[in-house]
Amino acid sequence: MNFSEERNKRTAYIESILQRYLPPAEGYQKIIMEAMEYSLMAGGKRLRPMLMWETFRLFGGQGRKIEPFMAAIEMIHTYSLVHDDLPAMDNDEYRRGRKTTHIVYGEDMGILAGDALLNYAFETACSAFDDEETDPVQAGRALQILARKAGIYGMIGGQVVDVKESGHAVSGETLDFIYRLKTSALIESSMMIGAVLAGADKDQVSAMEKIGEKIGLAFQIQDDILDVTGNEEDLGKPVHSDEKNEKTTYVTWKGLEKAREDVARMTEEAVKELRRFDAPDDFLEQLLVSLVGRKK
Ligand code: GRG
């Protein structure tokens, strides 16, 4: 398999889904649809819907019933980036290689575009109930996972502690809490929802949650590493933003070398867990491994 060719194909497939689920830009509120499209279609790795799709395939899922959830997870992820870039949070002007949403549309529309993407994500996921192919119990379970992992016991909870603990040193335990919620939770939910909609059982869904947690931690530590060692051109966003925001990160806590070792170790552990399942091909494994040395 040519991994990068396969990855490009999947990225194009995901972008076609996003485009299809975006609301048409019309009506008096047209500007909000434009701001939603601006942020959602700005590129990005599309990692979360890709993980969802691959986990769906891992458990023998077929057909298109997963698509509204793939769109929904990327909308939620994008809203979190739009809000994270706002002046009240990280106050960043560039993301995914272009001006941030609030710079282009103003702070008011930046806030509303984030809100709109979050709400529209749930409207989109709920459209699964209109699809005759989808088991409504599975769709309900998937929605429950999405809501929980994006909320105060997931991504928002992690962001709250991250914001409150900026500007001073934090313990390793607090950092671990932030990373598990802020970053791992959405990745866990991607894999869990893929499994649920493919008809996986409880133990299988919980195995995906554990793999997602490890991948999320490795992904966040790599993000910390890139903030120190990466460049703006590759990343499409400013570097040294953790230093600017006086954040304790895994790199400031453990040092660069240990951080690199731990990204590789956590990824290896996740891949080992994954090998217990009979994958249709090795794309998912290669995807996880590719995240270790990623430059963006
Ligand atoms: C504002 C509620 C709220 C939450 C914000 C996700 C987040 C919490 C903030 C974004 C900044 C950040 C460093 C988040 C950690 C997760 C992470 C590394 C996000 C970047 O994800 P990528 O690299 O982005 O997948 P692309 O652009 O490729 O989609």
Side-chain angles (χ1 to χ4, degrees):
M1 171 199 298
N2 181 329
F3 174 70
S4 73
E5 221 170 75
E6 287 297 318
R7 187 174 182 164
N8 290 342
K9 267 195 224 162
R10 283 157 173 81
T11 306
Y13 167 54
I14 292 165
E15 298 202 334
S16 72
I17 296 172
L18 297 177
Q19 199 71 61
R20 190 151 35 83
Y21 278 104
L22 268 169
E26 60 191 18
Y28 285 122
Q29 74 277 49
K30 185 172 176 223
I31 190 169
I32 203 65
M33 287 89 159
E34 289 170 353
M36 288 163 80
E37 176 165 12
Y38 176 81
S39 54
L40 191 67
M41 300 314 292
K45 295 178 284 299
R46 313 306 191 190
L47 177 66
R48 294 150 191 84
M50 209 175 285
L51 286 172
M52 190 183 282
W53 166 246
E54 291 307 321
T55 314
F56 182 65
R57 287 201 318 123
L58 178 68
F59 290 103
Q62 278 175 1
R64 301 172 59 174
K65 61 181 167 183
I66 192 76
E67 292 180 356
F69 285 93
M70 290 168 70
I73 196 85
E74 189 67 11
M75 287 176 195
I76 292 178
H77 166 60
T78 303
Y79 116 76
S80 80
L81 302 180
V82 171
H83 277 187
D84 193 61
D85 291 333
L86 286 168
M89 298 230 197
D90 278 2
N91 193 20
D92 281 323
E93 287 189 16
Y94 283 91
R95 164 80 66 181
R96 291 172 162 177
R98 46 160 118 167
K99 295 259 184 201
T100 44
T101 310
H102 70 273
I103 295 291
V104 176
Y105 289 90
E107 195 177 341
D108 46 6
M109 289 302 133
I111 294 169
L112 287 167
D115 294 340
L117 281 167
L118 173 60
N119 198 84
Y120 206 71
F122 283 96
E123 293 180 60
T124 303
C126 285
S127 73
F129 291 109
D130 300 330
D131 177 2
E132 281 169 11
E133 263 184 57
T134 308
D135 173 353
V137 175
Q138 285 176 0
R141 176 77 187 116
L143 265 174
Q144 197 180 23
I145 293 168
L146 191 64
R148 175 99 183 170
K149 296 285 184 186
I152 55 172
Y153 301 106
M155 184 180 72
I156 293 176
Q159 178 75 352
V160 167
V161 182
D162 192 14
V163 168
K164 282 291 177 202
E165 299 294 340
S166 285
H168 55 262
V170 301
S171 69
E173 198 184 318
T174 307
L175 201 62
D176 186 63
F177 177 91
I178 293 170
Y179 286 14
R180 280 175 206 276
L181 271 67
K182 181 178 89 163
T183 310
S184 288
L186 273 203
I187 292 181
E188 288 163 22
S189 74
S190 305
M191 299 188 76
M192 292 167 79
I193 291 169
V196 164
L197 288 185
D201 67 28
K202 248 185 165 177
D203 289 348
Q204 292 169 326
V205 175
S206 133
M208 292 306 112
E209 185 174 27
K210 287 204 185 81
I211 292 174
E213 183 179 46
K214 286 205 166 94
I215 291 302
L217 289 175
F219 189 80
Q220 182 56 58
I221 298 169
Q222 184 65 21
D223 198 69
D224 295 349
I225 294 172
L226 288 174
D227 194 57
V228 178
T229 64
N231 65 68
E232 196 163 331
E233 205 187 320
D234 284 337
L235 289 170
K237 62 178 181 178
V239 287
H240 307 303
S241 104
D242 294 328
E243 194 183 337
K244 179 188 90 180
N245 294 309
E246 297 177 64
K247 279 190 180 169
T248 301
T249 70
Y250 206 83
V251 172
T252 62
W253 182 37
K254 298 253 176 169
L256 201 50
E257 202 170 320
K258 175 77 175 132
R260 285 193 175 121
E261 275 171 32
D262 285 352
V263 171
R265 178 182 51 78
M266 287 171 191
T267 306
E268 249 171 59
E269 287 170 8
V271 166
K272 208 169 145 201
E273 285 283 309
L274 188 68
R275 287 198 180 139
R276 288 178 34 222
F277 301 91
D278 194 13
D281 51 56
D282 64 354
F283 183 84
L284 179 53
E285 181 172 330
Q286 287 205 48
L287 177 64
L288 302 188
V289 172
S290 75
L291 298 176
V292 177
R294 72 189 169 94
K295 302 234 176 315
K296 59 177 188 172

